[in-house]
Amino acid sequence: MTEKYIYEVSESSVDVRSWTIESDKQLTEDEVTDIYQDSQIDDEGKEHQYSDGITITYDGTEYGDDAQPLLEGDFKDDWNYNRI
């Protein structure tokens, strides 16, 4: 039976999603969190009436471009590989 090698690769980057909430009254941090999490808005730039006196606009997503790879496994040494 031949030995198998398993390699796991994941890549992560940071995406930033933004909302604007306008309210006739001052809101708590918990209220603001509930509003944007409950909004289910994905159409960028369109204003939605959340409740009386509160509107929310999804401003969009800025996609991260600095991906950080993570490679795991039992790698063979490769002395010819040009490592950065």
Side-chain angles (χ1 to χ4, degrees):
M1 175 176 230
T2 12
E3 188 172 355
K4 301 274 186 190
Y5 296 93
I6 298 172
Y7 301 93
E8 296 183 10
V9 178
S10 63
E11 184 177 88
S12 63
S13 67
V14 176
D15 296 339
V16 178
R17 289 170 290 288
S18 303
W19 293 263
T20 299
I21 297 169
E22 294 183 29
S23 176
D24 293 343
K25 64 176 185 156
Q26 189 173 20
L27 302 171
T28 67
E29 190 173 323
D30 285 343
E31 288 172 319
V32 169
T33 299
D34 289 345
I35 291 167
Y36 91 83
Q37 288 180 342
D38 291 346
S39 67
Q40 302 296 316
I41 297 174
D42 61 0
D43 48 340
E44 189 173 328
K46 188 171 181 184
E47 185 177 283
H48 294 270
Q49 187 73 34
Y50 179 79
S51 66
D52 192 32
I54 299 175
T55 58
I56 182 169
T57 304
Y58 176 60
D59 299 322
T61 302
E62 181 180 322
Y63 294 98
D65 60 357
D66 183 26
Q68 301 296 318
L70 174 64
L71 287 69
E72 297 179 291
D74 184 15
F75 297 101
K76 176 182 175 182
D77 286 331
D78 184 358
W79 297 108
N80 295 323
Y81 181 70
N82 184 13
R83 296 178 188 216
I84 297 174

